[in-house]
Amino acid sequence: MITKDSKIYIAGHKGMVGSACWKFLLKNGFYNLIGKTKKELDLRIQSDVFKFIEREKPDVIIDSAAIVGGILANMSHPYTFLMDNMLIQNNLIDAALKNKTENFIFLGSSCIYPKFSKQPIKEKYLLEGKLEETNQWYATAKISGVKLIEAIRNTTSYNYLALMPTNMYGPNDNFDLESSHVIPALIKKVYNAKIQNQKKIILWGSGNPKREFMHVDDLASAVFFFLSNNIKSSNHLYNVGYGDDISIYKLLEIIINIFEFDCHIELDPSKPDGTPRKLLDSSRLKNLGWSPKVDLKKGLKATCKWYVKNQNNLEI
């Protein structure tokens, strides 16, 4: 039984997702939270992770730690995206199991689903087709994590869950143009263009691919939903989505309007589009009573404001 004084370890608590979960849980009465920075605990080292879990004995582990990035980062560092992510999640899951941690929430990504999956994407579509080539390394790692959670659920009574969020954005995102996802990259590009008085923004690909975006606070609310309601479900995998999608071109137009900037969008067709469409079917989770709250335009406006205020303090 999870209570508000249960000890909760959030792996990756300084990242965008982890920090949002930390803040959301604190705000809602879960006060016994623990976290370690990368310097304090390297999650890729199995023995160190095991000793930490053995010593702290958390009641809940939330795994939001991962090596993440956009198309360029995935294509440039395939081994790192596959190996490091497997090491991180495998060490955490194995240490949790061996130390009898009864509650584990594994956070993945909608990129685990096939490139040309039927839309909207249901959990049962996993492994029904080929992955998107540009992020297959990260996706493969996360699929292995989902399967570990499933294997544990099939052989124990522990409450281990895999939550697969759609494309996330919000405070504490990675705004490095070499490794960031699309929203932080576009926010930084537009802001830089405005202060440098540039007259055009270059957008990779055709601008036609459609993506579903959800504010990170909504993912944190989904984690809180499972913990606060002590949900014991027969399902091990849940999609967590916003429920609507938008073209990358339209997304860029919205960000340009937020910054009140007049410029031309120039497409670069030599760059890859990635998956043509990726919209999650989150009905399995929504039928339990959860729903997202943050409107896309309002969330984008708040994120742009956060970036302008904090840009000089971001780690690159």
Side-chain angles (χ1 to χ4, degrees), residues 99-117:
N99 285 287
K100 297 180 170 58
T101 303
E102 295 190 0
N103 302 280
F104 195 106
I105 296 180
F106 174 67
L107 298 172
S109 166
S110 59
C111 72
I112 66 170
Y113 294 109
K115 178 176 182 177
F116 297 110
S117 180

Side-chain angles (χ1 to χ4, degrees), residues 57-284:
K57 294 180 171 56
D59 300 298
V60 182
I61 295 176
I62 300 170
D63 179 13
S64 65
I67 306 298
V68 299
I71 290 176
L72 178 60
N74 274 268
M75 294 176 64
S76 302
H77 308 286
Y79 182 83
T80 298
F81 273 78
L82 180 57
M83 178 58 79
D84 283 12
N85 280 305
M86 287 195 299
L87 286 172
I88 290 168
Q89 68 199 29
N90 292 358
N91 290 341
L92 284 169
I93 293 171
D94 190 52
L97 181 63
K98 290 178 177 176
N99 285 287
K100 297 180 170 58
T101 303
E102 295 190 0
N103 302 280
F104 195 106
I105 296 180
F106 174 67
L107 298 172
S109 166
S110 59
C111 72
I112 66 170
Y113 294 109
K115 178 176 182 177
F116 297 110
S117 180
K118 290 180 287 185
Q119 304 288 322
I121 305 171
K122 298 179 181 292
E123 290 88 349
K124 67 181 182 180
Y125 298 161
L126 182 65
L127 298 177
E128 286 193 349
K130 292 184 178 180
L131 298 169
E132 158 58 39
E133 295 84 355
T134 58
N135 63 11
Q136 61 178 307
W137 316 104
Y138 179 79
T140 299
K142 288 301 177 180
I143 290 170
S144 70
V146 171
K147 286 300 181 181
L148 283 175
I149 296 298
E150 182 181 10
I152 291 170
R153 287 291 297 265
N154 287 343
T155 55
T156 75
S157 61
Y158 293 160
N159 191 29
Y160 283 33
L161 297 171
L163 304 186
M164 296 300 113
T166 189
N167 300 277
M168 307 302 303
Y169 70 96
N172 296 309
D173 205 342
N174 170 22
F175 288 86
D176 176 19
L177 292 178
E178 294 297 317
S179 60
S180 61
H181 287 110
V182 60
I183 284 183
L186 293 182
I187 288 175
K188 186 170 184 175
K189 279 187 175 182
V190 173
Y191 178 76
N192 287 347
K194 181 177 181 179
I195 62 175
Q196 295 168 12
N197 198 30
Q198 299 173 2
K199 296 303 180 183
K200 69 178 180 180
I201 301 287
I202 298 176
L203 180 63
W204 276 26
S206 67
N208 293 325
K210 301 186 77 173
R211 292 290 183 271
E212 177 186 26
F213 297 101
M214 184 175 71
H215 194 277
V216 68
D217 284 352
D218 279 329
L219 177 56
S221 76
V223 172
F224 170 75
F225 176 81
F226 276 101
L227 296 182
S228 61
N229 290 287
N230 284 290
I231 293 173
K232 305 287 185 179
S233 172
S234 59
N235 295 306
H236 72 283
L237 176 60
Y238 288 89
N239 290 337
V240 188
Y242 180 67
D244 196 11
D245 56 6
I246 185 175
S247 73
I248 302 302
Y249 192 94
K250 179 63 177 177
L251 173 70
L252 178 53
E253 286 185 325
I254 292 173
I255 294 173
I256 289 172
N257 288 334
I258 289 172
F259 280 107
E260 298 180 341
F261 181 43
D262 183 18
C263 68
H264 169 67
I265 298 175
E266 181 177 309
L267 299 175
D268 181 359
S270 69
K271 297 298 192 295
D273 271 342
T275 304
R277 192 183 186 203
K278 193 167 60 174
L279 176 64
L280 292 179
D281 181 339
S282 302
S283 58
R284 176 179 288 181

